[in-house]
Amino acid sequence: MLAVGEIAPADILPAAQPAVRSRGFKLTRTTEWLIALQFLAVVVPIAFVLLAQMVADARRAAALEASRPLRTLANDARTDYRTFTNGAADAVDTGTLGRQSAEALRSAAEGLQKLAARGSEPALGKASRQVADLATRIGNGATLEKLMGLRAQIAEADRATRTIDEDFELRDAAATRDAVDSARVQKRSVTVALLISLILSVVFVLATRLRLKRRLEADAAIERRRRAELESISIRFGMATRAAHAGVYEVQESDRSVWWSDTMHELYGQATQGFRPTLEGWLELIYAGDRAAAEAAMTGAMREGRPLHSQHRITRNDGSVRHIESVGAVFNDSADGTARLVGIDLDVTDRVVAAAREETLQHQLRDASRQAGMADVATSVLHNVGNVLNSVNISASLVSDSLRRSRVQGLERVAALIKEHESDLGSFVTQDQRGRVLPVYLAELSRQLNSDNQGALRELDSLRNNIDHIKDVVTTQQRYAKLGGFTELTNVTELVEQSVRINCHALERHSMKIEREFAEVPGIVVDRHKVLQVLVNLLRNAIDACRDSGGERVVRIRIEKCGTGVRIAVADNGAGITAENMGRIFTHGFTTKKSGHGFGLHSGALAAKEMGGVLRAESAGAGCGATFVLELPLKPPESSR
């Protein structure tokens, strides 16, 4: 359990711990290096001496192994030759050389040849050839006379074989002395190596002890500093929890035991001495309607190992109801693996009351805002309907003029003539001057009536479209009041062309030229009538801007892709916008027209923003024309409502 106002070191010094661990790691690595060096100090000298001795022993063993067989061959050759010379001396008495002596000579010759074959030919000199020559010339049963003739060669070969035997004997003795001397050197080397190892071991043991002592002192200093920091943080944490009216708690999952800080007792209005917290007793203090949710939140957090964040009400002993927010985290003990919930309870009553009061104020503010915005909605409706009514008025005037100019009265006169000559209609048509022109007149009258009828139908279609647009404007404003709108996949080019058709009479009346720069763009999901309303206003403004300008009047409409979706630009070569008016062009109520009211661009900018787009103006100044750019996304944003 944690003491009152204390928290775990891992929660207090998350930044300091890596430094301590890093220092400990560094010290450990240094100590390991010292121990390794101490081991090397003991092992390396002895290993070096033993390795050198092994190399020397191997060299001596190889020398002895090579010397012994040669020494044996040389000794055997010398013995065989002595046997031959002894037999030659006996021939003085017998008169001939015995068989054993002759075989001994051949054996001596073969032994010397073997020595020569094993690389000892330089040491043999002429002895091998001399003995071989004697073995060839002296055979079994050689006479004394023949032996006497070869006496000088036999004596010289005897001296040579004796010299060879003595030389190989000296070689073998030298190898033996070298082995004895090497053993003495090895003994001294091992003694020196052990002495050096002992000295280095003492040095490194002392260095390791010094290093460990420094490490222990450093760890002790770090521990003292950490304890001081923990005590300081514990004091500050306790003061902070009291100032914030917060309590700290801990719940063990295994036995459902509970620990409370002093501030927790104060928060729940329970005496520190008189109330011993348990999970059941704690839940009894929670408001009955929130008790089940609070228990489920705590037990679920411990069971699933997830953070706790819940809110409940408590009833204190004085009858007051307080709102408590509980935030905690679950830790697993490394010893037995059981979970424990460590958290903090905050008194958020003031915040809840303030939020309720703010909610009430927000309702009042929304009601006031809705009432204040009704005037803007009505004004926008009148403005948009007024734009369309101009086209309606023009279409109605054209239909009326067409009816006044109609030649339908001539049809009545034709009917009267036909009725008058009903009895002699055939002769009247073929013989009477008026009757002969009657078919021609009827054909011309039919073409004229058909032309008038087609013109009237076009104007009536335009009139019907404009009336539908008026209804859509009113419906759209009604949807605004309901905070919603119907979106659909819309062809941008068709929408622009429809806005041109709505303003076609005004364009023709002011002799304005329309230039189209339409690129291939994808369809967009928007409230098409809202976009149409913005485009109609932009075209109407372009017409008004060019009305008093001289020269050719041009309105250029451009459709293209952009980073956000689709861009529609309406440019004119009219009056332009001054720099001082550029910053106020979209302000509600601002206008430069004598009969304007400043609602069109303002409502258009708001509509573009509601659809997730933007409406902006560009102009080089007065007399340089202006360009209004409407950018719309391919799909409406999620927060468009």
Side-chain angles (χ1 to χ4, degrees):
M1 292 290 183
L2 297 172
V4 176
E6 290 185 352
I7 55 179
D11 300 329
I12 298 175
L13 297 174
Q17 278 188 333
V20 175
R21 288 195 295 267
S22 176
R23 178 176 176 84
F25 174 76
K26 182 177 180 182
L27 290 173
T28 303
R29 289 297 297 272
T30 305
T31 305
E32 291 175 354
W33 277 111
L34 287 174
I35 296 174
L37 289 175
Q38 178 180 347
F39 174 77
L40 292 176
V42 175
V43 173
V44 169
I46 298 177
F48 178 76
V49 171
L50 293 178
L51 180 62
Q53 191 62 36
M54 288 175 60
V55 173
D57 290 343
R59 179 178 57 80
R60 288 189 297 271
L64 288 173
E65 185 179 358
S67 175
R68 292 291 182 180
L70 297 178
R71 172 74 179 87
T72 302
L73 286 175
N75 186 264
D76 292 343
R78 174 60 181 166
T79 301
D80 290 338
Y81 195 81
R82 288 290 301 273
T83 302
F84 162 70
T85 56
N86 292 331
D90 293 338
V92 176
D93 297 330
T94 61
T96 59
L97 182 68
R99 182 179 60 82
Q100 185 177 1
S101 298
E103 291 179 355
L105 179 60
R106 287 194 297 272
S107 296
E110 292 175 357
L112 293 177
Q113 288 177 357
K114 290 179 180 180
L115 281 175
R118 294 192 179 186
S120 299
E121 185 175 359
L124 298 179
K126 298 179 180 180
S128 177
R129 291 192 299 274
Q130 290 175 348
V131 175
D133 183 61
L134 290 174
T136 302
R137 296 172 66 180
I138 300 175
N140 186 17
T143 64
L144 178 62
E145 182 181 0
K146 188 175 183 179
L147 292 174
M148 292 300 292
L150 297 174
R151 184 178 56 185
Q153 185 176 356
I154 292 172
E156 185 178 358
D158 181 66
R159 290 192 297 271
T161 54
R162 185 175 62 250
T163 302
I164 292 172
D165 182 57
E166 292 174 352
D167 182 59
F168 277 96
E169 185 177 359
L170 291 175
R171 289 186 183 184
D172 192 61
T176 303
R177 286 194 304 271
D178 184 54
V180 174
D181 294 339
S182 177
R184 295 193 187 98
V185 173
Q186 181 178 2
K187 181 179 179 180
R188 290 194 298 269
S189 299
V190 170
T191 303
V192 173
L194 289 174
L195 182 60
I196 294 174
S197 298
L198 179 61
I199 295 172
L200 291 177
S201 298
V202 172
V203 171
F204 282 113
V205 166
L206 294 177
T208 304
R209 289 189 61 185
L210 180 60
R211 175 67 64 177
L212 291 174
K213 181 180 178 181
R214 291 177 180 175
R215 176 186 174 184
L216 292 175
E217 292 175 351
D219 290 344
I222 293 173
E223 186 65 23
R224 288 193 298 271
R225 185 168 62 253
R226 291 183 61 191
R227 286 183 177 276
E229 291 175 352
L230 284 173
E231 292 176 0
S232 177
I233 292 177
S234 177
I235 294 173
R236 290 197 294 266
F237 183 75
M239 295 177 62
T241 54
R242 290 183 183 276
H245 301 289
V248 182
Y249 63 86
E250 180 179 328
V251 181
Q252 291 285 348
E253 182 185 23
S254 57
D255 56 0
R256 296 171 66 90
S257 60
V258 177
W259 171 85
W260 272 12
S261 66
D262 291 342
T263 51
M264 196 74 171
H265 287 83
E266 297 173 3
L267 184 64
Y268 281 80
Q270 302 296 323
T272 306
Q273 301 298 330
F275 178 78
R276 182 175 180 83
T278 61
L279 187 57
E280 287 72 17
W282 184 3
L283 294 173
E284 287 295 329
L285 300 177
I286 297 176
Y287 188 72
D290 301 340
R291 190 174 301 155
E295 182 179 8
M298 285 190 287
T299 55
M302 288 187 290
R303 183 174 59 255
E304 300 174 8
R306 55 179 171 80
L308 170 67
H309 192 180
S310 63
Q311 188 169 331
H312 56 264
R313 292 166 292 177
I314 63 172
T315 304
R316 303 182 63 171
N317 292 333
D318 57 2
S320 61
V321 177
R322 309 296 294 177
H323 292 265
I324 304 298
E325 183 176 4
S326 185
V327 180
V330 178
F331 301 92
N332 290 322
D333 291 333
S334 58
D336 54 4
T338 58
R340 59 190 178 96
L341 175 65
V342 180
I344 184 171
D345 274 6
L346 300 171
D347 188 347
V348 294
T349 304
D350 295 339
R351 189 174 68 189
V352 173
V353 173
R357 185 166 57 252
E358 181 182 0
E359 182 69 19
T360 302
L361 293 175
Q362 287 291 342
H363 281 295
Q364 296 175 356
L365 181 61
R366 282 196 294 269
D367 292 340
S369 176
R370 182 180 295 275
Q371 293 174 2
M374 290 175 64
D376 285 345
V377 174
T379 302
S380 179
V381 171
L382 293 176
H383 172 72
N384 295 320
V385 171
N387 286 337
V388 184
L389 283 177
N390 290 331
S391 298
V392 171
N393 186 36
I394 293 171
S395 297
S397 299
L398 291 175
V399 173
S400 178
D401 293 341
S402 176
L403 291 176
R404 290 192 188 96
R405 295 192 305 269
S406 177
R407 300 175 62 181
V408 70
Q409 294 85 358
L411 187 60
E412 294 179 358
R413 291 196 297 271
V414 170
L417 284 174
I418 293 174
K419 187 175 182 180
E420 180 181 350
H421 297 279
E422 184 176 0
S423 58
D424 58 344
L425 185 59
S427 59
F428 174 73
V429 173
T430 57
Q431 298 177 6
D432 191 281
Q433 182 67 27
R434 293 177 299 169
R436 286 198 299 269
V437 299
L438 185 60
V440 178
Y441 177 75
L442 287 174
E444 181 179 354
L445 180 61
S446 175
R447 286 193 299 272
Q448 181 64 39
L449 290 177
N450 185 54
S451 176
D452 292 343
N453 184 51
Q454 293 297 327
L457 288 175
R458 285 195 300 272
E459 295 302 329
L460 288 175
D461 288 339
S462 176
L463 185 61
R464 184 176 64 251
N465 290 334
N466 289 329
I467 292 173
D468 289 340
H469 185 52
I470 291 174
K471 291 190 296 183
D472 292 332
V473 169
V474 175
T475 303
T476 300
Q477 299 301 335
Q478 289 175 345
R479 287 199 296 265
Y480 292 165
K482 298 178 181 179
L483 298 178
F486 175 72
T487 59
E488 57 183 326
L489 183 62
T490 303
N491 187 299
V492 178
T493 303
E494 293 179 358
L495 202 60
V496 171
E497 290 292 355
Q498 186 175 356
S499 67
V500 173
R501 286 195 297 271
I502 292 175
N503 290 281
C504 64
H505 297 298
L507 293 169
E508 293 174 359
R509 188 168 63 254
H510 296 289
S511 302
M512 300 191 66
K513 179 182 178 182
I514 294 291
E515 294 183 355
R516 296 171 173 83
E517 298 177 3
F518 295 170
E520 291 291 334
V521 295
I524 58 176
V525 180
V526 291
D527 186 340
R528 66 186 312 276
H529 295 291
K530 189 183 295 186
V531 180
L532 182 61
Q533 171 185 324
V534 176
L535 294 176
V536 168
N537 284 335
L538 295 181
L539 282 173
R540 182 70 63 183
N541 289 339
I543 295 171
D544 293 340
C546 296
R547 182 180 302 171
D548 299 329
S549 62
E552 186 180 22
R553 302 168 183 174
V554 179
V555 175
R556 183 179 295 104
I557 305 176
R558 185 172 63 255
I559 302 175
E560 59 187 358
K561 295 180 181 179
C562 65
T564 57
V566 175
R567 180 184 295 117
I568 306 171
V570 179
D572 63 75
N573 60 349
I577 305 172
T578 61
E580 59 180 345
N581 291 336
M582 184 62 72
R584 301 183 295 166
I585 196 70
F586 294 107
T587 304
H588 182 270
F590 175 78
T591 182
T592 58
K593 304 175 185 178
K594 295 181 180 180
S595 59
H597 41 66
F599 298 147
L601 290 178
H602 173 70
S603 62
L606 292 180
K609 185 176 181 181
E610 290 172 358
M611 292 183 289
V614 63
L615 176 63
R616 67 176 186 273
E618 301 172 357
S619 178
C624 298
T627 301
F628 287 86
V629 180
L630 174 63
E631 292 185 358
L632 296 172
L634 298 180
K635 293 182 179 180
E638 294 295 332
S639 58
S640 60
R641 291 178 60 87

